[in-house]
Amino acid sequence: MMIPVRCFSCGKVIGEHWEEFEERARDGEEDPAAVLDDLGVDRHCCRRMMVSHRDLVDVVSPYQ
Amino acid sequence: MADEFDVEFIRGDDREARILVRGLTPAFANGLRRAMIADVPTLSIDTLRVVENSSVMFDEMIGLRLGLVPLTTPDDFEYGDTVTLSLDVEGPDTAYSGDLESSDPDVKPADEDIPIIQLNENPSGENQRIELEAEAVLDDGKSHAKQSGGVAVGYRHLRKVSVVGDRGEFDEEETNILRGVIETEDGELVPTDEFDHDLTERYPGKELEVEDVPGAFVFHVETDGSMTVEELVLRGIDSIESRADELQEKVAV
Ligand SMILES: [Zn+2]
């Protein structure tokens, strides 16, 4: 649905980085690993939160 | 037990730092780590009064997300004290943690750009909207992980690396991975990420000896933003101290 506020494993706040990550790595052409390094999302537990996320609000919204 | 502690900041900022402490026992180092994780209280949203929520998420899901938003926590709060915050956003827009309005100027979201919920326009034409009042309460990490100010707090021994000779001429040059902070023979402290955690990178062609420095611990302290690293360490120590005092009092009676 929405990006989780914190990493499930370590509790670091990662939600704030999602929109930049989406813009640069998903929609843009940049290397996701380089973008995550740049954002300071270093641990692999936090990185998987971003890499494996799908936004579903627009998918669910019509059925409200 | 050594009679004096020696503390040195190796590197860091307000949110994340490496701190070398000498003169600790492993038990005390672990006590401090646990105090920083579970015994230093922070403010977190715990109760909601929902006025309107026509978003795609249930009230409970919004409540969980708001609870996880770190709030700056001044040190003059007592356990159970509350602060009221409010959120009122109408779509099409995204509600961010920065949209939370606090009744106390010292208590505000530590990060302003955390998306809480995206609000769209419904097919019927009206906009999704969220309006609520939230109550943040001071509690510690033993009650809920959201109340914990420390994130991934840990420590390693300080390791001393000394060159004992040259590697044999025909020996293979293999990687020698070590993470943390090393102390060189000149007493210089070097975080291992400066040489990609590979000792062979720093000392090519050398035979090395690596040993723990007794009583020296390198803490890696990271906070969620509710307080600075320095404050988290100090409040952790205060918490140990106040509990020891209480025990002393009880035993003396
Ligand atoms: Zn993580």
Side-chain angles (χ1 to χ4, degrees):
Chain A
M1 188 87 82
M2 298 284 296
I3 181 81
V5 175
R6 297 196 187 207
C7 168
F8 292 151
S9 303
C10 73
K12 181 186 166 73
V13 178
I14 42 111
E16 56 182 334
H17 301 304
W18 167 250
E19 284 174 5
E20 189 176 342
F21 177 78
E22 185 181 34
E23 191 187 310
R24 289 171 61 184
R26 287 281 174 85
D27 305 336
E29 299 290 294
E30 286 183 67
D31 175 24
V35 176
L36 287 170
D37 285 344
D38 199 32
L39 291 171
V41 181
D42 295 323
R43 286 185 285 275
H44 61 266
C45 57
C46 308
R47 290 165 90 93
R48 61 93 205 259
M49 300 299 295
M50 309 284 271
V51 169
S52 61
H53 178 68
R54 282 270 145 199
D55 256 337
L56 291 178
V57 172
D58 292 325
V59 179
V60 184
S61 219
Y63 308 104
Q64 251 326 80
Chain B
M1 177 107 205
D3 38 5
E4 239 171 74
F5 295 128
D6 179 40
V7 179
E8 207 173 318
F9 271 78
I10 292 169
R11 185 201 290 170
D13 50 39
D14 277 357
R15 289 283 184 99
E16 188 181 0
R18 279 175 198 285
I19 307 162
L20 169 66
V21 187
R22 290 176 199 268
L24 283 178
T25 60
F28 197 82
N30 192 41
L32 181 55
R33 178 188 73 86
R34 293 183 56 139
M36 286 192 272
I37 292 171
D39 295 317
V40 176
T42 70
L43 285 159
S44 277
I45 289 173
D46 199 47
T47 319
L48 298 187
R49 286 184 293 278
V50 181
V51 181
E52 185 181 342
N53 175 18
S54 49
S55 73
V56 295
M57 276 192 186
F58 295 118
D59 298 353
E60 290 84 348
M61 298 159 81
I62 304 278
L64 172 68
R65 294 181 68 83
L66 288 171
L68 292 171
V69 172
L71 301 172
T72 53
T73 306
D75 58 6
D76 51 357
F77 279 85
E78 297 286 330
Y79 273 82
D81 282 0
T82 58
V83 174
T84 308
L85 299 102
S86 64
L87 182 69
D88 186 352
V89 181
E90 186 174 330
D93 198 357
T94 300
Y96 290 96
S97 55
D99 297 323
L100 282 166
E101 307 252 359
S102 171
S103 61
D104 186 330
D106 292 334
V107 178
K108 53 183 193 310
D111 299 305
E112 310 235 299
D113 304 319
I114 306 165
I116 304 296
I117 179 70
Q118 182 189 329
L119 301 161
N120 291 344
E121 190 185 322
N122 280 339
S124 51
E126 79 264 27
N127 292 321
Q128 295 172 359
R129 181 160 173 273
I130 184 138
E131 184 186 349
L132 55 85
E133 264 187 2
E135 213 75 62
V137 65
L138 190 85
D139 210 334
D140 59 36
K142 280 179 281 194
S143 66
H144 194 296
K146 69 184 175 185
Q147 308 277 9
S148 166
V151 169
V153 181
Y155 57 84
R156 286 171 196 270
H157 262 109
L158 178 68
R159 252 86 52 97
K160 191 175 178 65
V161 175
S162 31
V163 180
V164 291
D166 288 323
R167 204 191 294 255
E169 198 181 341
F170 301 107
D171 283 359
E172 223 169 308
E173 192 84 341
E174 51 189 18
T175 56
N176 190 356
I177 302 296
L178 186 71
R179 284 170 197 277
V181 176
I182 62 163
E183 185 178 40
T184 64
E185 283 167 296
D186 317 325
E188 193 192 349
L189 300 171
V190 187
T192 54
D193 52 7
E194 277 180 22
F195 46 89
D196 210 14
H197 310 286
D198 183 4
L199 286 173
T200 311
E201 194 113 316
R202 191 180 161 91
Y203 300 99
K206 297 286 185 205
E207 192 75 47
L208 300 172
E209 197 176 88
V210 179
E211 56 188 356
D212 288 348
V213 180
F217 293 87
V218 181
F219 281 83
H220 174 252
V221 184
E222 195 178 326
T223 82
D224 63 358
S226 44
M227 61 197 83
T228 63
V229 167
E230 196 185 335
E231 253 175 294
L232 179 67
V233 177
L234 291 175
R235 290 188 202 179
I237 295 166
D238 280 347
S239 130
I240 296 174
E241 190 184 353
S242 67
R243 275 174 293 155
D245 283 349
E246 197 186 324
L247 180 64
Q248 189 182 30
E249 230 167 78
K250 294 276 159 66
V251 172
V253 170

